Each structure stands twice: as structure tokens, then as C-alpha cells.
Amino acid sequence: MSRGRAVGSARDDLTLVREANERFYKAFEHLSLEEMEAVWAQTPGVVCIHPGWRLLRGWQAVRESWALIFKNSGEVRFTLTDLRIEVAGAFAWVVLTENLLSQQQGNVAVTSVLATNLFQKLDGKWRMILHHASHIMAGPSREESRTVH
């Protein structure tokens, strides 16, 4: 394989991972279990950590969590910031801030959550194998607070 082709392939993988990540958030916004199923690898090794939840292992537990979230959610909208994608062979990860606007039982909530999404290339398609989201509990780091805007 030529060097130019390898670079092109890496660029293609970055685009495909970005698209897979976007499908994850669209599935969430659409509250669609069917769309979410298309994003995830449906294997015993997948892991999901929702903010404040216990660790979920295996596709069945992860699927049930999404079904419960979707059943109990109204409108959900994401604005994704600080997005960074890395690809290393058959694995890729996306680290980002989820800025979430949600509505439940007439109440509107706005929150920011740090997330890591891990994807694995399986049968030529990038599938999510881990989603870990955590509430932001602290202010900016010392380095960020020293930045002049």
C-alpha cells in the first residue's frame, strides 16, 4: 500500500468515525431505539456509563438503558463542542462536550456533559463499543482560567 493511500484511508476513517458519532447523537435526539441499535456493536463487550448510573455491560443492558431513557424523555437537543477524534487501527475515540437541552414533563433543563465515545471497526463499519458521559462538576482548570479572552 502506498503512503498516499494510507493517508487517504486514515482521512476516510476520520470522516466515517465523525459520521458514526453524529448518528449516535441523532438517534438520541430522535429518541429512536432502532437508530441507536444501528450505531452500537451488539456484543457482550460493549459498555455504557450514563451520568449518575451504574456501569452497564453487554448489549442487552445497554439497549435496555436506552429504551428506558427514550421512554422517559421529551425533546432532546445536542450542541457538541470541544470535539476531538482520534483513530488508531481498528479503534477510534471521540472526546467532546455534550451541551444538552432537554424537556421532561414540561420542565426544560440545560446541562453540559463530558463524553468519550469509543468505536471499533467491525465488518468495515465503525460501531460504538463504549459511551461514557460524566457531569461537569468543577470550573475551568488553572490553565484555562489564566487564558485571556
Side-chain angles (χ1 to χ4, degrees), residues 77-135:
R77 294 287 170 249
F78 288 94
T79 301
L80 307 178
T81 58
D82 308 317
L83 189 119
R84 173 99 182 192
I85 300 172
E86 298 290 336
V87 177
F91 293 91
W93 54 97
V94 182
V95 179
L96 61 123
T97 301
E98 302 173 351
N99 301 286
L100 176 65
L101 173 73
S102 61
Q103 181 179 343
Q104 287 184 325
Q105 302 170 352
N107 296 318
V108 175
V110 179
T111 189
S112 292
V113 175
L114 297 176
T116 302
N117 298 323
L118 180 62
F119 295 87
Q120 183 177 9
K121 197 171 196 177
L122 299 166
D123 299 324
K125 295 183 180 179
W126 288 100
R127 301 287 184 195
M128 184 173 280
I129 58 171
L130 175 136
H131 171 69
H132 182 178
S134 300
H135 287 292

Side-chain angles (χ1 to χ4, degrees), residues 9-48:
S9 177
R11 194 172 308 131
D12 292 343
D13 279 337
L14 277 172
T15 299
L16 293 171
V17 170
R18 181 182 310 277
E19 290 170 355
N21 195 66
E22 289 170 358
R23 282 192 302 276
F24 170 73
Y25 288 101
K26 289 298 179 196
F28 203 151
E29 288 183 339
H30 296 158
L31 305 175
S32 171
L33 193 53
E34 182 177 302
E35 290 177 41
M36 192 61 76
E37 289 173 336
V39 172
W40 281 84
Q42 297 180 20
T43 65
V46 299
V47 174
C48 188

Side-chain angles (χ1 to χ4, degrees), residues 48-67:
C48 188
I49 305 169
H50 299 294
W53 289 43
R54 64 178 177 77
L55 173 77
L56 301 169
R57 267 187 225 273
W59 172 241
Q60 193 57 40
V62 171
R63 184 188 185 284
E64 288 171 8
S65 75
W66 290 115

